[in-house]
Amino acid sequence: MTGTPAPFTADDYQARMERAARAAADAGLAGVLVAPGPDLVWLTGYAPPAATERLTLLVLAAGQAPVLVVPTLEAPDAEKAAGAPALTLRDWTDGKDPYATTAPLLDASGRFGVSDNAWALHLLGLQKALPGTSYVSLTEGLPMLRAVKDTAELERLTAAGAAADATYEEILKVSFAGRRESEVAGDLADLLRRFGHSQVDFTVVGSGPNGANPHHEAGERVIENGDMVVLDFGGLKHGYGSDTSRTVHVGEPSAEERRVHDVVRGAQEAAFRAVRPGIACQDVDRVARAHITEAGYGDRFIHRTGHGIGVTTHEPPYMIEGEEQPLVPGMCFSVEPGIYLPGRLGVRIEDIVTVTEDGGRRLNNTSREMAVVH
């Protein structure tokens, strides 16, 4: 996809809200309550101008028209949202009880799915107004709500992946030795923005022993010749996420360093080849873990194999032991095994993968061979 994609329409958002209401009913829930955050953006296109203590809540229930409860002073912004024509706005003014406005919209004895980032203040207010209600987080109650992407979403994710790939190709041209990790991280952020990202979420640069910390914050360590360097970076382009990892080496690597990298590359390839509709998420993790364990590094693979991605860079589904959710065409997630040797080095290789009708397709396509940088 080239250029800016066509924006989502009110019909797109209406379909999403209807899907969410049906999914809630199928899960035995009375409805879905959505606070400001990624779920609200995905369902309505509305992002309140700033975090606020004033109640903003989307109420969805099967057989009921969607209603967005908003503070009166923010109603004009809500009315401009792309999904606004598909819902009813119910506003409340300062000095009034927002829970009294919201309570009539809810089944007084219902169990509701609530977006994970809802304020405790608001949830407790609803419970006080409707003591017969109960609540479950959306990650627990409807974990797959945003997991299966449609064609337009896949196009955006593909474009974000291509931008991350272009970033990696460019970062290979810069100098590593003698520069601080933070400087290379700054280069990564600049490149992501150059290739169309509106938001940079992370730029991990873990050099030498720092690479053994999977979520190392790029710091003031000066990268040295002989270092293995883990690069993990991503953010949002056209509202959808990128996330890729490659591990490079400053100067020629040792035989052991090559072996560790080859083991991780083999695990990543095996896990990718395991992707197909119907297998459980945990099976992707098991394949990667078995490959690394067989090579003798099982206890040094210390995180899950992957996470979903969409309007956020980390979301369900998760490729982890115990997750029995079967893969479905349209799901998108990372495949990112790693090996971490404390005090010495780390290696991680990561692609975003989408499930197709008969397998998987990578959204990151740069070389997974270990690049030698200077």
Side-chain angles (χ1 to χ4, degrees), residues 2 19-20 23 37 47 49 52 104 140 152 156 173 181 198 212-213 236 265 304 310 319 327 330 349-350 352 363 368:
T2 58
R19 190 205 313 174
T52 174
E140 181 182 348
R156 285 164 169 79
K173 301 174 184 177
E181 292 173 339
S198 60
N213 175 2
L236 300 182
R265 185 161 55 91
R304 64 197 176 202
M319 307 301 112
L327 299 186
I349 300 172
E350 173 185 15
I352 299 303
L363 303 189
R368 284 163 285 280

Side-chain angles (χ1 to χ4, degrees), residues 264-295:
V264 174
R265 185 161 55 91
Q268 207 268 353
E269 178 68 20
F272 166 69
R273 291 187 179 279
V275 171
R276 63 183 181 278
I279 74 161
C281 291
Q282 68 179 2
D283 291 335
V284 179
D285 181 81
R286 286 174 175 177
V287 168
R289 208 163 295 278
H291 187 94
I292 290 174
T293 298
E294 184 177 354

Side-chain angles (χ1 to χ4, degrees), residues 19 138-139 142-148 281 316-318 323 325-326 331:
R19 190 205 313 174
L138 284 186
T139 289
L142 294 176
M144 296 298 115
L145 180 62
R146 304 198 318 255
V148 178
C281 291
Y318 298 103
E323 180 51 81
Q325 167 68 40
M331 282 182 175

Side-chain angles (χ1 to χ4, degrees), residues 129-267:
L130 295 169
T133 55
S134 59
Y135 305 90
V136 61
S137 72
L138 284 186
T139 289
E140 181 182 348
L142 294 176
M144 296 298 115
L145 180 62
R146 304 198 318 255
V148 178
K149 274 63 180 180
D150 61 24
T151 300
E153 291 181 294
L154 287 172
E155 288 177 347
R156 285 164 169 79
L157 284 161
T158 299
D165 283 357
T167 294
Y168 176 66
E169 296 288 1
E170 288 298 311
I171 204 68
L172 294 179
K173 301 174 184 177
V174 310
S175 295
F176 280 73
R179 302 179 69 213
R180 293 181 176 87
E181 292 173 339
S182 58
E183 293 178 273
V184 177
D187 290 342
L188 285 170
D190 290 345
L191 287 166
L192 285 169
R193 293 189 183 98
R194 184 203 299 178
F195 292 115
H197 279 62
S198 60
Q199 177 177 313
V200 176
D201 287 345
F202 47 88
T203 52
V204 173
V205 180
S207 65
N210 289 342
N213 175 2
H215 284 168
H216 171 69
E217 293 274 348
E220 296 309 295
R221 183 182 185 275
V222 175
I223 301 169
E224 302 173 354
N225 191 59
D227 279 346
M228 196 86 93
V229 185
V230 178
L231 305 173
D232 183 351
F233 49 93
L236 300 182
K237 177 175 181 175
H238 303 317
Y240 281 75
S242 69
D243 185 2
T244 189
S245 301
R246 295 290 185 264
T247 303
V248 303
H249 198 278
V250 186
E252 287 301 317
S254 68
E256 182 192 21
E257 289 169 332
R258 284 196 180 278
R259 179 174 185 272
V260 172
H261 191 278
D262 285 346
V263 170
V264 174
R265 185 161 55 91

